Amino acid sequence: MLRGVELRGVRIPHNKATAELATVRMPVPTQVIMPMNQHVGAPCEVQVKRRAHVDVGTLLGHTDARMSADIFSPVSGTVREIRSIHYSNGRSTQAVVIESDGEQTIDNNIAPPEVTDYASLVEAVRHSGIVGLGGAGFPTWLKMDSDLSTIDCWLVNGAECEPYLSSDYREMVEHPDTILHGIRTCLDFSGVPRARICIENNKPRAIELLREMSAGDDRIEVFELPARYPQGASRVILRNVTGRSVPRGGHLTDVGALLFNVTTMSEIGRFLQDGMPLVRRRITVMGDAIETPQNLEVCIGTPVKEILEFCGLKSQPRKVVIGGPMMGITQVEFDAPIVRANSGLLAFTNELVDRPQTTACIRCSACIDNCPMRLAPIDIQKAYMRRDVEKLDELMADLCVECGTCSYVCPAKQPLAQSTRFARAFLRAKQREAKGRR
Amino acid sequence: MEQLPLHPAEETNQPLLLLTAPQLTSPVSTQSIMRDVLIALAPAFVASVVVFGWRAALVTVVSVASCVGFEWLWCRLRKTPNTCWDLSAAVTGMLLAFNVPSTLPLYMVVLGAFVAIVLTKELFGGIGCNFANPAIVGRIFLAVSFPAAMATFVAPGSVDLVSSATPLAPASGAHTYLELLLGLHGGVLGETSALAILIGFGYLLVRRVITWHVPVVYVGLVALLSLLVGRDPLAQVLSGGLLLGAVFMATDYTTTPATLRGKLVFAVGCALVTCLIRFYGNLNEGVAYSILFMNLFVPHIDAVTRNTPVGGERVRKGR
């Protein structure tokens, strides 16, 4: 049977102007704001008191819930307050606000972890605060703790398909050694036979460098992918690299694969060496409001405002996005902090500010042809407008990965990604409701 | 909200914009697509003026003007936003003109435009909502209402009104392949020069407005079936409205199926009906009717040719 064209994705101008700029380390900010839910799962409980002194690496947040990841202080200084902060999506969370003293004294408990087997590796990562750094924020230790008996491939995602962003690319170019150290350690202890580092072919230097450095190791393969959006979405990259597709409602582990972001692997490699939990990360700062676009290594929790001031502003931004231009989230406050899973900060004055007017759908099927999950976004939108649960179920709206391709390609500028997002939440809620009634 | 103390001169009280992802949108719009279709139709327009003279240009101008005019009037009367600038009415006007002979009285052209724009498109909800191709319905309306006028063709290169048969009429065989390719024969405006249509097809492919599948399958299957029943496949392909229909009307977004599989079913259906009409029917030409016929099946084709989502395969099999 004809299956149509396989996962194509779209060519979106990459606009990675900062790709060849070496990472700049931003000075320690005057204060950091550390929200307690910088990951998928249960929020942490605050472990410090107001006015307490903290050092770099001091535990700030912890919970006994499994699906969580500890939060550590990125600066030394004093806890000024513990307050609730609001995200631009309307949710709120507890946050620890730390006034930094600029000393950056390191917590006494910081020491490289002792790893003797896979269980101790997972346990070490559990206390490293490392989460999926590609944007997902899924606790890494929990992913590593899955049943490994069926896993035949340790996939490392270096696609970085989001336009503008180049922080993963810089990691691959600047720290290929820690990436490979992380991967090798994981392979050694887990018994997974091979690893594939998947990189889009618009990053030839990273491909070449990692191939060169992993040349002696048969287990590690660098896999070149066409540069198409959304190549880096987990289900898309899995399909394109292994040919497998995750069943509806399932996870990658159900089809024998584990997937980690390349910077996540690098952080594991680095953590194994120096024992410092995840407290800093690289973000790409870009946009037409920014004076000096660059890749910046910042303390997690640094407020957007301090980063914008450091990079300089050409004009007053009207739109601030944390993340990339396709999946990033617009911010309403300049006080919003950068959290662990963020890889970009974009500030716009004119560019990407005005939305084109929505016009009538002309049934061109661009959304259907380009959906990486082969969904029918326009049909989902229509079914959602009618709140037709059965139809949404038939259309499998829950499989949407929120890549935004449908909205991008739509010539009528219909808000397809938004309606599919609503439809997915609506369908899931109704399904839960139905399950509860049974 | 706190303001950045960075550019006091430019400080405003505008709040930051809160918009859902994605922030990026592609530069392609309905208008740019329709503009590309108009550009792709230009070679055929030039060819028709060369072959049939100034009256071809007049018919085209009247057709486009009345289609756009009816759309403007409709929006005005209904007090809805003016949609003329999406250029879809202009495309309909071009296609309608390409479907009539250069000798057609102008009031008939205006009537055809009324049927196309008002009766076929706007009454069903405007752009994107019509179930049939407006230009095709306009053509069929004219052919049924004014059969004599619609079959009066001018011989190429002359201004005399000569009722000459189209190459597909029984007297066929009077034209060489080269004449057919260049369009040096009688017929409706857009059906004459195969070469001009192919240039437009190439442009649409390059601009990714359409894919090759429907035109190639449609035309290829007609050629194959002609061969099977012992007719000259090349003459069948180059004459009549086949190329115009396959490239510009069987690829219309609104009135064809959504998925590739659906489009292929549509193309095969068009080819079968065209051949049935051409070989065994009373009409010389079957393209317009075959596309209209298949337009009616689009919802059903769509329903059975939906893509299986990635990850939905097993679930579907389980049912």
Side-chain angles (χ1 to χ4, degrees):
Chain A
M1 193 65 171
L2 262 166
R3 312 221 28 218
V5 183
E6 271 303 309
L7 302 180
R8 281 184 285 186
V10 282
R11 292 170 204 265
I12 297 177
H14 299 129
N15 231 328
K16 295 186 190 273
T18 60
E20 295 311 322
L21 302 176
T23 308
V24 174
R25 204 181 161 116
M26 185 177 152
V28 178
T30 52
Q31 69 164 22
V32 291
I33 302 163
M34 298 296 284
M36 288 293 114
N37 67 342
Q38 305 184 25
H39 48 264
V40 177
C44 291
E45 285 150 26
V46 177
Q47 303 292 314
V48 286
K49 293 253 160 23
R50 197 167 158 256
R51 293 209 199 95
H53 176 83
V54 292
D55 295 307
V56 180
T58 303
L59 184 70
L60 297 179
H62 174 79
T63 166
D64 290 331
R66 256 176 80 77
M67 196 158 165
S68 184
D70 293 349
I71 289 164
F72 300 88
S73 174
V75 294
S76 64
T78 317
V79 176
R80 200 180 71 181
E81 59 176 336
I82 292 156
R83 65 177 165 97
S84 110
I85 62 161
H86 296 273
Y87 288 124
S88 58
N89 63 10
R91 294 197 192 114
S92 63
T93 180
Q94 285 289 103
V96 177
V97 181
I98 303 167
E99 202 118 313
S100 91
D101 60 14
E103 300 290 325
Q104 291 301 86
T105 47
I106 291 170
D107 192 281
N108 291 329
N109 296 322
I110 301 297
E114 268 181 51
V115 175
T116 50
D117 57 359
Y118 192 66
S120 60
L121 175 66
V122 173
E123 195 55 27
V125 174
R126 182 174 192 173
H127 300 293
S128 70
I130 296 176
V131 297
L133 296 176
F138 190 87
T140 301
W141 80 272
L142 198 57
K143 207 188 257 185
M144 290 171 70
D145 203 27
S146 4
D147 173 20
L148 292 183
S149 56
T150 57
I151 308 291
D152 63 355
C153 197
W154 195 278
L155 294 175
V156 181
N157 186 350
E160 196 162 54
C161 58
E162 269 271 358
Y164 291 73
L165 305 189
S166 58
S167 73
D168 283 346
Y169 172 71
R170 290 315 304 175
E171 191 70 30
M172 292 187 275
V173 174
E174 291 174 20
H175 301 296
D177 47 336
T178 55
I179 295 172
L180 290 172
H181 179 61
I183 296 172
R184 285 194 180 116
T185 311
C186 289
L187 289 186
D188 286 345
F189 289 114
S190 69
V192 173
R194 64 201 172 103
R196 268 185 173 168
I197 309 173
C198 316
I199 308 173
E200 279 191 348
N201 61 9
N202 63 348
K203 304 173 187 67
R205 249 185 87 199
I207 294 171
E208 200 184 315
L209 201 58
L210 281 165
R211 276 208 177 128
E212 217 171 85
M213 295 192 61
S214 63
D217 196 336
D218 290 342
R219 299 174 301 173
I220 300 174
E221 183 194 350
V222 177
F223 195 87
E224 202 174 316
L225 288 162
R228 296 287 176 85
Y229 187 84
Q231 191 67 263
S234 65
R235 277 147 208 252
V236 176
I237 204 166
L238 176 80
R239 175 80 174 222
N240 288 354
V241 173
T242 67
R244 299 172 202 168
S245 55
V246 182
R248 208 176 165 193
H251 299 287
L252 262 66
T253 46
D254 298 343
V255 291
L258 276 176
L259 176 73
F260 298 91
N261 173 268
V262 70
T263 306
T264 310
M265 285 325 291
S266 187
E267 281 299 326
I268 292 176
R270 187 198 48 70
F271 172 71
L272 291 172
Q273 284 165 349
D274 64 15
M276 176 59 77
L278 178 67
V279 292
R280 302 179 71 90
R281 70 153 302 150
R282 180 187 301 99
I283 58 166
T284 301
V285 188
M286 262 191 88
D288 67 343
I290 303 287
E291 184 88 46
T292 323
Q294 55 194 303
N295 279 299
L296 215 53
E297 192 189 310
V298 298
C299 290
I300 287 161
T302 306
V304 163
K305 194 175 122 183
E306 295 210 20
I307 298 171
L308 294 181
E309 275 167 357
F310 178 78
C311 294
L313 281 180
K314 281 195 284 196
S315 49
Q316 184 70 27
R318 286 185 55 211
K319 193 196 241 180
V320 171
V321 181
I322 288 186
M326 291 299 288
M327 292 183 74
I329 295 167
T330 50
Q331 303 297 312
V332 283
E333 283 179 50
F334 288 107
D335 272 345
I338 291 293
V339 300
R340 290 188 284 211
N342 298 155
S343 45
L345 173 63
L346 311 173
F348 301 107
T349 303
N350 299 309
E351 200 188 322
L352 306 196
V353 165
D354 294 317
R355 281 263 159 114
Q357 183 119 34
T358 298
T359 54
C361 167
I362 55 171
R363 279 181 44 90
C364 69
S365 77
C367 56
I368 295 171
D369 293 341
N370 290 296
C371 176
M373 301 305 287
R374 295 169 58 82
L375 296 169
I378 185 66
D379 294 339
I380 291 174
Q381 175 168 295
K382 284 177 191 160
Y384 175 67
M385 293 300 183
R386 295 192 309 268
R387 303 293 191 276
D388 185 340
V389 183
E390 267 172 42
K391 186 80 183 171
L392 287 174
D393 184 40
E394 194 188 318
L395 292 168
M396 307 192 203
D398 52 308
L399 285 171
C400 171
V401 298
E402 299 196 20
C403 65
T405 304
C406 45
S407 286
Y408 176 82
V409 296
C410 181
K413 313 301 169 197
Q414 293 271 337
L416 295 166
Q418 191 179 4
S419 46
T420 308
R421 206 148 40 218
F422 284 144
R424 194 177 72 160
F426 173 73
L427 176 61
R428 283 184 177 166
K430 287 284 171 190
Q431 282 171 339
R432 266 197 303 273
E433 217 172 87
K435 219 177 256 174
R437 237 181 279 134
R438 233 177 272 147
Chain B
M1 195 194 32
E2 205 174 344
Q3 281 292 329
L4 284 179
L6 295 147
H7 269 256
E10 285 186 51
E11 257 186 46
T12 57
N13 287 320
Q14 262 177 329
L16 281 174
L17 288 168
L18 182 64
L19 290 167
T20 59
Q23 310 302 328
L24 269 177
T25 48
S26 88
V28 176
S29 65
T30 303
Q31 189 193 34
S32 78
I33 290 170
M34 295 301 164
R35 195 189 306 126
D36 277 338
V37 176
L38 287 176
I39 293 170
L41 285 166
F45 172 68
V46 172
S48 74
V49 176
V50 169
V51 173
F52 299 113
W54 63 272
R55 190 106 197 339
L58 183 66
V59 167
T60 309
V61 168
V62 169
S63 174
V64 171
S66 42
C67 279
V68 175
F70 282 127
E71 174 132 333
W72 176 81
L73 207 62
W74 178 267
C75 294
R76 192 70 200 267
L77 292 176
R78 295 257 306 145
K79 297 190 170 65
T80 51
N82 179 9
T83 51
C84 293
W85 290 109
D86 67 20
L87 300 180
S88 65
V91 169
T92 301
M94 287 285 271
L95 285 174
L96 179 66
F98 284 9
N99 272 294
V100 300
S102 62
T103 51
L104 196 72
L106 295 179
Y107 79 89
M108 291 185 191
V109 177
V110 177
L111 266 179
F114 177 80
V115 170
I117 292 294
V118 178
L119 297 190
T120 316
K121 184 181 169 189
E122 303 299 353
L123 279 182
F124 288 89
I127 186 166
C129 298
N130 47 302
F131 68 92
N133 188 312
I136 282 184
V137 177
R139 174 198 174 126
I140 289 174
F141 162 78
L142 291 174
V144 170
S145 312
F146 312 105
M150 282 291 281
T152 305
F153 302 115
V154 65
S158 87
V159 284
D160 304 327
L161 290 187
V162 184
S163 187
S164 83
T166 80
L168 268 177
S172 173
H175 298 282
T176 64
Y177 291 141
L178 187 67
E179 279 175 337
L180 288 175
L181 188 66
L182 296 178
L184 302 173
H185 57 79
V188 301
L189 294 189
E191 294 182 350
T192 57
S193 174
L195 189 64
I197 301 282
L198 290 176
I199 293 172
F201 181 42
Y203 179 78
L204 290 181
L205 289 184
V206 170
R207 299 284 299 163
R208 293 167 186 257
V209 173
I210 60 170
T211 58
W212 56 269
H213 304 87
V214 169
V216 169
V217 170
Y218 187 177
V219 173
L221 195 55
V222 168
L224 190 71
L225 290 172
S226 312
L227 202 63
L228 286 180
V229 300
R231 297 192 190 224
D232 181 354
L234 204 53
Q236 287 293 333
V237 168
L238 292 179
S239 54
L242 181 58
L243 285 177
L244 180 73
V247 172
F248 289 103
M249 300 199 280
T251 56
D252 174 44
Y253 289 150
T254 306
T255 57
T256 60
T259 63
L260 179 62
R261 266 193 293 169
K263 287 184 172 100
L264 293 176
V265 171
F266 182 86
V268 169
C270 283
L272 290 177
V273 178
T274 301
C275 288
L276 280 176
I277 294 175
R278 277 191 178 182
F279 303 156
Y280 307 111
N282 282 333
L283 298 159
N284 290 328
E285 241 311 70
V287 172
Y289 289 95
S290 70
I291 294 175
L292 178 64
F293 187 75
M294 290 310 292
N295 282 166
L296 303 181
F297 284 97
V298 166
H300 304 290
I301 298 175
D302 270 341
V304 296
T305 56
R306 204 174 283 143
N307 287 337
T308 306
V310 174
E313 301 92 347
R314 285 159 223 221
V315 180
R316 193 157 276 186
K317 256 181 224 158
R319 270 177 194 167

